[in-house]
Amino acid sequence: MNPSEALPSVPSRVGKIHESSPLAATSARRKAFRALHERGCFVIPNPWDVGSARYLQHLGFPALATTSAGFAFSQGLPDSGDDAVDSRDRTLAHIASITAAVDLPVSADFMSAYGLEPEDVADSVARCVATGVAGLSIEDATGDPMSPLYDLPIAIERVRAARQAIDRSGDDVLLTARAECYHVGHPDPFRESVRRLQAYADAGADVLFAPGPHEPAEITALVEALRPKPFNLLVVRDIGLRVEDIAALGVRRISVGGALALAAWTSFIRATQILRSEGSFAGLAGLVPYADINSLFATDLRGQERAKDHRRQSAV
């Protein structure tokens, strides 16, 4: 493929979110996000910064989700479940920057909700809702290798606390509950994921997510066990299935986690290693032209300026 073809001509939607008041625009995004989960299957890619978010919008994806790993790596940090206040505030600022940068629904990868107790989870979730997200996910991983998952009664209370915080906000934000059984090496990840996710659904989760399975039979079994709730499948490598194949298994939503950020890091690492070890610029071959990316963001910026003018005129 010619590198210049990497930026296809797609009608820009920049500025549309400002055709009405910010509150109305946020409400419309949330309504659209909920509708995406009612039928069919869609891909929700994961940008790691404002630039990648705007490019994914340019391609025409219907919604975006943040990635804790992609963001952490961009900050020179490991992807961790650190519950410190500064970690939460840093994450919230990042989520707010993504929601403000695009006119698409954004779902937040909100880790384990930055709190140990249910009331801490509720406080963090309320703060996340205030960033303008259309959805958010919380995990049941503790970050403790000796006890990697919250005991189920506690995990249920955490999901219930998140649900109640969203309901108190009065905002139509979708709650995704994640069972991390596959990720933490549980001895029976399928059965335990089903047990946990069914309980999280009863506690108020709108979407269910068990990152890890890639075999069609196992994916189908999860979908069937969790109906009618929509199931999110994480795909972080080539598993031999296309989007239409995954859709045929009954999956409602497909995310890619930190995979796109890793793709960028892979190209960067390979190019710099070749430059350092061989003194060669071969790793810079086939780049997308500077002018193509610069033009994309220049058009984006002009759209933002027009939107600002529109808001000023509407306020008069």
Side-chain angles (χ1 to χ4, degrees):
M1 181 178 68
N2 188 312
S4 65
E5 296 174 354
L7 294 173
S9 176
V10 176
S12 175
R13 289 180 286 181
V14 173
K16 286 188 178 180
I17 61 172
H18 301 298
E19 292 176 358
S20 57
S21 71
L23 286 177
T26 300
S27 177
R29 284 195 294 268
R30 288 167 171 165
K31 182 178 180 180
F33 193 54
R34 183 171 291 278
L36 285 170
H37 293 79
E38 293 174 355
R39 62 185 62 83
C41 178
F42 70 100
V43 176
I44 182 168
N46 304 74
W48 62 93
D49 61 9
V50 166
S52 57
R54 287 181 174 161
Y55 180 67
L56 291 169
Q57 173 175 273
H58 172 80
L59 287 181
F61 286 100
L64 305 176
T66 64
T67 160
S68 63
F71 173 58
F73 299 159
S74 75
Q75 303 298 299
L77 298 169
D79 184 27
S80 71
D82 186 359
D83 287 322
V85 171
D86 60 340
S87 297
R88 183 184 69 177
D89 291 346
R90 183 168 55 240
T91 297
L92 287 170
H94 168 64
I95 293 168
S97 74
I98 300 296
T99 60
V102 296
D103 67 340
L104 298 176
V106 174
S107 186
D109 174 359
F110 208 46
M111 303 290 283
S112 295
Y114 299 92
L116 297 176
E117 302 299 327
E119 54 267 29
D120 300 324
V121 171
D123 177 60
S124 292
V125 166
R127 293 170 186 266
C128 188
V129 169
T131 66
V133 292
L136 62 93
S137 66
I138 64 169
E139 307 170 4
D140 57 7
T142 64
D144 179 1
M146 301 303 295
S147 181
L149 295 173
Y150 283 102
D151 290 340
L152 185 55
I154 297 173
I156 291 170
E157 285 306 310
R158 289 165 56 81
V159 172
R160 186 173 289 119
R163 175 78 271 160
Q164 291 171 349
I166 292 172
D167 292 344
R168 283 194 297 268
S169 75
D171 294 313
D172 185 20
V173 172
L174 262 67
L175 174 61
T176 297
R178 292 177 46 149
E180 301 297 304
C181 308
Y182 288 88
H183 275 185
V184 303
H186 190 280
D188 191 354
F190 173 80
R191 190 181 302 276
E192 184 63 14
S193 293
V194 170
R195 183 172 82 105
R196 285 175 172 264
L197 291 176
Q198 288 176 340
Y200 300 161
D202 291 340
D206 299 296
V207 183
L208 304 174
F209 189 179
H214 290 123
E215 293 300 323
E218 197 162 19
I219 295 168
T220 300
L222 276 167
V223 169
E224 292 298 327
L226 300 173
R227 288 188 188 277
K229 295 286 186 176
F231 179 71
N232 183 107
L233 180 71
L234 176 68
V235 180
V236 294
R237 59 181 175 81
D238 185 359
I239 61 173
L241 299 174
R242 296 173 59 85
V243 171
E244 54 264 35
D245 301 323
I246 295 171
L249 301 178
V251 170
R252 187 59 50 83
R253 190 172 86 185
I254 306 169
S255 58
V256 296
L260 294 178
L262 288 176
W265 273 100
T266 299
S267 295
F268 168 75
I269 289 170
R270 287 176 178 169
T272 54
Q273 287 180 343
I274 290 172
L275 180 60
R276 181 68 181 91
S277 64
E278 302 177 18
S280 169
F281 298 96
L284 303 182
L287 296 180
V288 174
Y290 160 88
D292 285 8
I293 298 179
N294 194 63
S295 176
L296 169 68
F297 291 130
T299 301
D300 191 7
L301 185 60
R302 287 193 294 271
Q304 293 176 63
E305 291 302 319
R306 287 194 297 270
K308 289 179 182 178
D309 290 341
H310 176 77
R311 289 202 309 275
R312 284 193 291 266
Q313 292 170 5
S314 299
V316 175

